[in-house]
Amino acid sequence: MYDSLRRQLNNGNWKWKSRTIVFSSVDDINDSSADMFDNGDGFMSRGAEDLVVEENELVATKKALSEARARQEAIEKERDQLLEELAQSQAKQQEHVATILRDKEVAIAELEAAKSLFHNKLQESVEEKFTLESKLVLAKQDAIELAVQVEKLAEMAFQQATSHILEDAQRRVSAAETSAAEAAFHIEEQVRNATEGTIMSIVEQSKDAIEKALDVAEKAGDYATRAVAVVNDGINPVDEIAFIQSENIKLQGIVNDMESQLLITRNEIDKLKVELEQVHEQAKASDLRAEDAKKALLEFQESNREMTIQQEEKINSLLEKMKKDASEKKKAASKAFKAELESIKAAIKAAKETAHLRNEAYVRRCEALQRSLRASEAASKMWRHRAEIAESLLLKEEEEEDVIYTVNGGRIDLLTDNDSQKWKLLSDGPRRQTPQWMARRIGSIRPKFPPIKINVSEALTSNFRPLDLPKPDEVWSIAQEKLKERDTLIEHVIEKETIEKKRKALERALHRKTIQWQKTPEETKLEPGTGTGHEIVFIFLLLPICLLRSGIVNTSVLMILDSPLLKFQGFNWESWRRQWYLELAPKAADLSRCGVTAVWLPPPTESVAPQGYMPSDLYNLNSAYGSVEELKHCIEEMHSQDLLALGDVVLNHRCAQKKSPNGVWNIFGGKLAWGPEAIVCDDPNFQGRGNPSSGEVFHAAPNIDHSQDFVRRDIKDWLNWLRNDIGFDGWRLDFVRGFSGTYVKEYIKASNPAFAIGEYWDSLTYEHGSLCYNQDSHRQRIVNWINASGGTSSAFDVTTKGILHSALHNQYWRLIDPQGKPTGVMGWWPSRAVTFLENHDTGSTQGHWPFPRDKLTQGYAYILTHPGTPTIFYDHFYDFGIRDVITELIEARRRAGVHCRSSVKIYHANNEGYVAQIGDTLVMKLGHFDWNPSKENNLDGSWQKFVDKGSDYQLWLRQ
């Protein structure tokens, strides 16, 4: 080919051909192209006139051809190198395949080992299960045998005890009966013997007396006969009469003796009767004792029976406990076995996933090498095609139209050395534009290039024909498959998957706690301590507290987001009477489930008053509510449930611990041992030597002078100690009317709390005992204090609370101001308004300003659906029986996405009711006003009723 060309040139037989020009797009394309096309006609005419120019062009063409041949040789060399690299890559691929096979074998061996270990563990667990079951059966048998033995022993003991007692009692009863019978027999025998003996003696004596009387009578008869005989015989009658009289006297004496003996006998009989009665009484007493013995025996039997029943119950309970323990052990063993089984399964799954990921990594690497090879082949094909074009430029003999080719989308790729293109692909990725040095190099090779096409129609109608080259994504995709040092691709993949899992878990946690949070366009960065937007004071947010406390997210970032915050006052005026920290900590999970995000805790410091609002030693946190350890435990429980813990800090005043030489309590103790110089000078009770107060004076305790540098430094250190060491996340500032809000700004910036609230409480405006409609002056004072703090702190919306007291008694017109906005601080600065109905001062046992009990649900329906940061009082949530109502309203707030900056559009506010749209997705109604969304012409969209409490309140959510 080259010889024929050389012969044509030497013989002068040169034929003019149509020119085929190869162009590439650089910055000077347009100029060179314009020169070429503008001088086209002149170019053809000069061919006949100026042969020297043509020879120069021929020399340039020969030079270009030689360069093309040199490049082709370079391409051939690169191709050979690529083929060698391909062979090396194939060898490496084979090594990788072998490595994969080895790893696969190792993984299979590990799986087999895990499988065998699993089977061994399974066998061991089954054997252990059978062993436990056998032990359980043996234990049951032992327990039954023990119960039987115990029952036998109890029965034997009972029988022995009862037999001894019965025998003893029977012996005693029989002995008593025997003794009583013997005594009665002896007494009767004695009576009978005595009676018989007496009667016999009386009879005998009577017989003797009668015999004596008969003898006397006979003798008297004899005497009479003798007297008669004497008379008859002439005996002296006087002697006989005297004899008879003497005999009669004797007889009379005998009769008297007999009577006296009879009386004695009667007396003896009476004595015997008395003794007989005594014997009968003794017998009765013996009978009573026998009855008592029987009763005692019955009572003993009953008590013994009860003891037996109790022992049986104890035995049964022991058996039940043994059964329960056995079942628990069985369940624990089964649970442990299941857990171990799950761990083995997880290990097997992890091994499989690791092997799979390793295989995928090697496959991707091989694919990347193959794509690199294809790219090199495509580049070789491109250069071969260019050589063919250059060859056709010299060998074509037929006339053709001018055809201009664009190479690689307007760029010609050059290789300065063998490995430059490959490593550029691997390290730098795709090039964005052609460098100047390359443009100059290309311009030196081909000075004229086609213009860049701007649109598709121009490209389709152009005479330039693009070459068939590989697509850019096929060339540059290898940049996504860079080789890793020390073969760490697998570790990178695993780490990436771990990060992805953590990210998804974090997204789920965020989705559980909050709504999808969105950044507002062109937001102004707020100061720390102002909250974030969706507040309901329990106080937290879209970001989980673990990110805040770990330092991953700065609290200043939180101020930019509109996150749902709901506050809960976690105490009342009487909470100090119980171990409050230990009682409140278990409620953290319940509060978190109900939607609360921040908990306001009581004052933590040592205090003269048990409620904590008369602090003395600020660093002593052992208070009436509990110890410092219990406080930390309570805060940790709050954090574990993603709840913020707000500390109630009293910065206005502090109780002294010592008297001055003047006898005034103005010497402080503890770590902050201040003197009178820390007390304002216009406090009339404590002889302070500081500067005048920047607010109102609290007369019950020394007022702190916050203008002193050492005071502010100590307070900032104390607040940071509470934040970092104790764990508090924010502050509730007590009695902020006592010192300037500028000091509050300094304290908040120094301690960087997630949320801060100031208690600015003063009286509303009244006229003739009635609340005035216009309360702008009252809410202006609160807003002025917030302004003084630089907007770093929120404040309690006392204005809204006072207005709700009257508005909910059919005076709903009080809830709209002349500008159509809410009438409290909520209407002027909602992101700094903390709404509430009651707290430990207004309610609880103090009751300084209690909210109407029958209007509580309406009040919560208002503050939980409107902007601001609503606060829930402990007593209302746990003691007043409206927990479900509050939880339902919190859910409505969450679904509607209401936050502290939500817009409010009030449609109606009159004596009958109140209607307002909050944000774009919630409409609420208070009162008995007959209204629903379909009756409102200015309200578009489809609405579904979410809560219906009749004339109290109703809520609708946009569908």
Side-chain angles (χ1 to χ4, degrees):
M1 176 182 68
Y2 299 108
D3 295 336
S4 62
L5 178 62
R6 191 178 296 109
R7 283 194 301 273
Q8 291 178 2
L9 292 173
N10 293 329
N11 297 328
N13 297 326
W14 176 257
K15 294 182 179 179
W16 293 102
K17 308 286 184 178
S18 63
R19 292 176 297 164
T20 303
I21 304 172
V22 180
F23 287 140
S24 177
S25 60
V26 291
D27 294 338
D28 57 352
I29 287 176
N30 295 330
D31 297 336
S32 61
S33 299
D35 294 339
M36 185 183 89
F37 288 113
D38 292 341
N39 300 326
D41 296 334
F43 185 86
M44 297 298 296
S45 61
R46 283 198 305 271
E49 296 176 357
D50 194 357
L51 189 60
V52 177
V53 176
E54 292 173 355
E55 291 178 354
N56 292 334
E57 186 176 358
L58 184 60
V59 171
T61 303
K62 291 173 67 177
K63 185 178 180 180
L65 183 59
S66 61
E67 289 179 356
R69 291 180 61 188
R71 281 202 176 87
Q72 187 174 4
E73 291 175 357
I75 290 171
E76 292 295 334
K77 290 181 180 179
E78 185 177 0
R79 181 183 177 187
D80 295 336
Q81 291 178 356
L82 288 174
L83 290 174
E84 290 178 0
E85 291 178 358
L86 177 61
Q88 292 176 359
S89 65
Q90 289 178 352
K92 289 182 179 179
Q93 184 176 2
Q94 291 177 358
E95 291 178 0
H96 292 323
V97 170
T99 305
I100 292 171
L101 292 175
R102 285 197 301 273
D103 294 339
K104 185 176 180 182
E105 291 175 356
V106 171
I108 292 171
E110 291 176 355
L111 290 175
E112 291 294 333
K115 185 177 179 181
S116 61
L117 179 62
F118 168 72
H119 286 299
N120 293 332
K121 292 282 186 181
L122 181 62
Q123 188 66 27
E124 290 176 0
S125 60
V126 171
E127 292 176 357
E128 186 177 357
K129 180 181 177 183
F130 289 149
T131 305
L132 290 173
E133 289 180 351
S134 61
K135 287 181 180 179
L136 179 62
V137 172
L138 293 175
K140 288 182 179 179
Q141 292 177 357
D142 293 338
I144 293 170
E145 291 177 358
L146 178 61
V148 172
Q149 291 177 2
V150 170
E151 289 179 356
K152 288 181 180 180
L153 289 173
E155 187 176 358
M156 291 172 62
F158 176 73
Q159 289 178 356
Q160 290 177 0
T162 52
S163 63
H164 289 303
I165 295 170
L166 287 173
E167 289 176 359
D168 189 16
Q170 287 176 358
R171 283 198 301 272
R172 290 183 180 180
V173 171
S174 60
E177 290 178 351
T178 304
S179 61
E182 289 178 354
F185 177 74
H186 288 304
I187 292 168
E188 290 177 357
E189 189 68 26
Q190 289 177 2
V191 171
R192 187 167 56 252
N193 293 334
T195 304
E196 289 179 355
T198 305
I199 292 172
M200 291 300 292
S201 63
I202 293 171
V203 171
E204 289 177 355
Q205 289 177 1
S206 298
K207 286 181 180 180
D208 293 338
I210 290 170
E211 288 179 353
K212 289 179 180 180
L214 288 176
D215 290 339
V216 171
E218 286 179 358
K219 289 179 179 180
D222 291 339
Y223 288 146
T225 56
R226 287 177 183 173
V228 173
V230 169
V231 171
N232 292 327
D233 293 336
I235 302 173
N236 190 3
V238 177
D239 296 332
E240 290 294 331
I241 291 169
F243 178 77
I244 292 169
Q245 288 178 349
S246 63
E247 290 293 333
N248 285 333
I249 291 169
K250 291 179 180 178
L251 184 61
Q252 188 67 34
I254 293 168
V255 171
N256 291 332
D257 292 336
M258 290 178 67
E259 288 177 355
S260 62
Q261 289 179 359
L262 184 59
L263 289 171
I264 292 169
T265 304
R266 286 178 179 174
N267 291 331
E268 290 179 355
I269 291 170
D270 292 334
K271 289 180 180 179
L272 291 172
K273 287 182 179 179
V274 171
E275 291 179 357
L276 183 61
E277 290 177 356
Q278 290 178 354
V279 170
H280 282 299
E281 289 177 358
Q282 291 177 358
K284 288 181 180 178
S286 299
D287 293 336
L288 291 174
R289 285 196 295 273
E291 292 293 332
D292 293 337
K294 288 182 180 179
K295 289 181 181 179
L297 179 62
L298 292 174
E299 290 177 357
F300 174 75
Q301 291 176 350
E302 187 68 25
S303 63
N304 199 359
R305 191 178 299 110
E306 290 178 356
M307 290 176 62
T308 305
I309 292 172
Q310 290 178 358
Q311 289 178 354
E312 289 178 354
E313 290 177 353
K314 288 182 180 179
I315 292 168
N316 291 331
S317 64
L318 181 62
L319 290 174
E320 291 293 330
K321 187 177 180 180
M322 292 174 66
K323 291 179 182 178
K324 188 176 181 181
D325 292 340
S327 62
E328 288 179 355
K329 288 181 181 178
K330 185 178 178 181
K331 289 180 181 178
S334 177
K335 187 175 181 181
F337 170 71
K338 289 181 179 178
E340 190 171 2
L341 183 63
E342 291 295 330
S343 65
I344 293 172
K345 288 181 179 179
I348 294 173
K349 186 177 179 181
K352 289 181 179 178
E353 289 179 355
T354 304
H356 181 66
L357 292 174
R358 189 177 298 171
N359 292 336
E360 287 185 351
Y362 282 119
V363 168
R364 285 199 298 270
R365 188 175 297 174
C366 294
E367 289 177 353
L369 293 173
Q370 290 176 359
R371 285 196 295 270
S372 175
L373 180 61
R374 286 197 298 269
S376 63
E377 290 178 350
S380 177
K381 183 179 179 181
M382 179 187 67
W383 286 111
R384 190 181 300 111
H385 190 60
R386 289 178 180 176
E388 292 175 357
I389 292 173
E391 185 178 2
S392 65
L393 176 66
L394 300 175
L395 299 181
K396 267 190 178 180
E397 296 181 358
E398 297 180 358
E399 290 288 334
E400 293 181 357
E401 296 181 357
D402 290 347
V403 179
I404 301 174
Y405 294 93
T406 60
V407 179
N408 198 15
R411 288 195 304 236
I412 296 180
D413 297 327
L414 299 176
L415 293 174
T416 57
D417 55 27
N418 294 335
D419 296 332
S420 62
Q421 186 68 13
K422 178 179 68 175
W423 291 113
K424 283 181 180 179
L425 292 176
L426 293 176
S427 61
D428 299 336
R431 292 169 297 175
R432 297 304 177 190
Q433 65 182 20
T434 304
Q436 293 295 328
W437 66 268
M438 186 177 289
R440 289 193 297 271
R441 182 74 176 273
I442 295 172
S444 65
I445 299 172
R446 277 284 180 258
K448 303 180 187 299
F449 297 97
I452 297 176
K453 303 301 180 297
I454 305 301
N455 51 42
V456 178
S457 61
E458 184 180 355
L460 293 176
T461 58
S462 174
N463 292 329
F464 294 102
R465 186 173 64 193
L467 300 177
D468 186 12
L469 298 178
K471 295 180 180 179
D473 58 345
E474 294 181 356
V475 177
W476 305 119
S477 61
I478 190 172
Q480 302 175 0
E481 303 290 344
K482 293 183 179 180
L483 299 175
K484 304 296 178 181
E485 294 181 2
R486 296 189 181 90
D487 198 15
T488 58
L489 181 60
I490 298 174
E491 296 178 0
H492 175 71
V493 172
I494 295 174
E495 182 181 1
K496 185 176 180 181
E497 291 182 351
T498 304
I499 294 172
E500 185 68 17
K501 289 180 181 178
K502 290 182 179 179
R503 184 186 66 79
K504 290 182 179 179
L506 180 59
E507 286 181 353
R508 288 194 296 270
L510 293 176
H511 183 71
R512 281 198 306 271
K513 290 304 297 177
T514 60
I515 317 166
Q516 284 274 335
W517 37 286
Q518 301 175 349
K519 289 187 177 180
T520 57
E522 299 297 332
E523 295 140 333
T524 303
K525 182 175 179 180
L526 304 179
E527 295 293 336
T530 59
T532 59
H534 287 258
E535 290 89 355
I536 300 182
V537 179
F538 228 53
I539 290 175
F540 210 58
L541 358 271
L542 299 166
L543 296 178
I545 196 169
C546 57
L547 297 181
L548 175 67
R549 295 189 56 78
S550 63
I552 297 174
V553 179
N554 191 290
T555 52
S556 62
V557 178
L558 303 179
M559 306 307 130
I560 302 175
L561 305 176
D562 281 337
S563 60
L565 195 60
L566 193 152
K567 177 184 163 198
F568 180 87
Q569 181 175 357
F571 65 99
N572 56 36
W573 192 250
E574 303 298 330
S575 298
W576 63 273
R577 300 182 184 277
R578 306 194 291 272
Q579 292 180 324
W580 192 248
Y581 294 143
L582 298 179
E583 187 171 331
L584 183 62
K587 293 183 170 64
D590 177 47
L591 293 171
S592 180
R593 282 194 302 271
C594 293
V596 171
T597 52
V599 181
W600 165 17
L601 298 177
T605 56
E606 179 190 28
S607 172
V608 174
Q611 291 81 10
Y613 290 99
M614 301 288 282
S616 54
D617 185 1
L618 298 183
Y619 279 91
N620 184 2
L621 302 188
N622 294 312
S623 65
Y625 298 100
S627 65
V628 61
E629 290 79 12
E630 293 170 352
L631 171 61
K632 288 182 178 180
H633 169 69
C634 183
I635 293 175
E636 288 174 358
E637 286 297 316
M638 300 299 168
H639 290 168
S640 67
Q641 299 297 327
D642 295 340
L643 298 177
L644 287 180
L646 301 185
D648 198 331
V649 291
V650 183
L651 304 180
N652 176 74
H653 51 271
R654 181 185 173 194
C655 292
Q657 294 173 288
K658 296 179 184 179
K659 288 184 179 180
S660 68
N662 298 330
V664 179
W665 291 91
N666 57 12
I667 305 298
F668 301 98
K671 186 176 180 179
L672 304 181
W674 301 334
E677 64 277 1
I679 303 174
V680 296
C681 62
D682 51 355
D683 189 337
N685 300 321
F686 299 99
Q687 298 181 5
R689 295 202 295 265
N691 296 318
S693 175
S694 57
E696 298 183 15
V697 175
F698 181 76
H699 296 284
N703 286 244
I704 302 301
D705 182 12
H706 293 270
S707 66
Q708 301 289 344
D709 293 337
F710 72 92
V711 170
R712 296 199 307 277
R713 183 180 62 252
D714 289 345
I715 289 178
K716 287 185 285 188
D717 292 342
W718 178 62
L719 291 175
N720 283 314
W721 176 73
L722 291 178
R723 281 273 286 143
N724 301 325
D725 294 359
I726 306 302
F728 283 108
D729 303 297
W731 318 122
R732 181 263 183 189
L733 305 171
D734 182 67
F735 196 73
V736 294
R737 289 167 55 193
F739 55 101
S740 173
T742 57
Y743 301 125
V744 173
K745 178 180 180 180
E746 184 176 352
Y747 296 146
I748 289 177
K749 285 189 174 181
S751 59
N752 197 23
F755 194 83
I757 319 161
E759 182 205 22
Y760 195 95
W761 179 13
D762 65 349
S763 298
L764 278 73
T765 306
Y766 291 86
E767 185 175 352
H768 305 297
S770 299
L771 184 71
C772 294
Y773 166 71
N774 189 342
Q775 296 294 331
D776 288 350
S777 61
H778 184 269
R779 58 175 169 174
Q780 185 63 57
R781 291 193 292 274
I782 299 176
V783 169
N784 289 342
W785 179 85
I786 299 173
N787 275 324
S789 71
T792 59
S793 175
S794 302
F796 285 107
D797 193 350
V798 183
T799 313
T800 295
K801 170 181 166 57
I803 292 173
L804 284 174
H805 277 251
S806 299
L808 297 181
H809 290 87
N810 297 327
Q811 298 178 17
Y812 301 103
W813 45 269
R814 294 182 178 273
L815 298 177
I816 184 172
D817 66 5
Q819 288 75 35
K821 298 180 179 180
T823 48
V825 180
M826 178 199 309
W828 281 0
W829 205 344
S831 64
R832 301 298 184 274
V834 177
T835 54
F836 72 106
L837 300 182
E838 273 188 2
N839 57 31
H840 59 286
D841 289 323
T842 63
S844 191
T845 55
Q846 291 202 100
H848 293 317
W849 195 20
F851 199 82
R853 183 71 176 267
D854 58 334
K855 300 297 182 181
L856 280 175
T857 55
Q858 274 190 307
Y860 277 115
Y862 182 81
I863 67 172
L864 287 174
T865 57
H866 280 64
T869 303
T871 305
I872 301 168
F873 187 39
Y874 181 92
D875 293 357
H876 297 167
F877 195 72
Y878 282 112
D879 298 335
F880 278 36
I882 58 174
R883 168 200 172 99
D884 295 338
V885 173
I886 295 174
T887 304
E888 187 178 41
L889 291 170
I890 294 173
E891 178 64 18
R893 183 184 182 90
R894 185 192 69 80
R895 292 192 182 187
V898 177
H899 52 81
C900 71
R901 296 180 179 88
S902 294
S903 61
V904 179
K905 184 178 182 180
I906 301 174
Y907 291 104
H908 303 281
N910 49 40
N911 288 332
E912 296 181 352
Y914 169 86
V915 178
Q917 179 182 353
I918 300 90
D920 297 327
T921 57
L922 176 65
V923 173
M924 65 94 61
K925 177 182 78 74
L926 296 174
H928 57 274
F929 183 58
D930 185 14
W931 185 91
N932 60 63
S934 62
K935 296 183 178 181
E936 190 64 45
N937 295 328
N938 298 326
L939 188 63
D940 58 348
S942 177
W943 299 84
Q944 182 179 8
K945 186 178 289 185
F946 183 72
V947 179
D948 187 358
K949 298 297 181 181
S951 61
D952 283 346
Y953 63 90
Q954 294 178 352
L955 305 181
W956 290 267
L957 296 177
R958 185 187 293 274
Q959 290 184 340

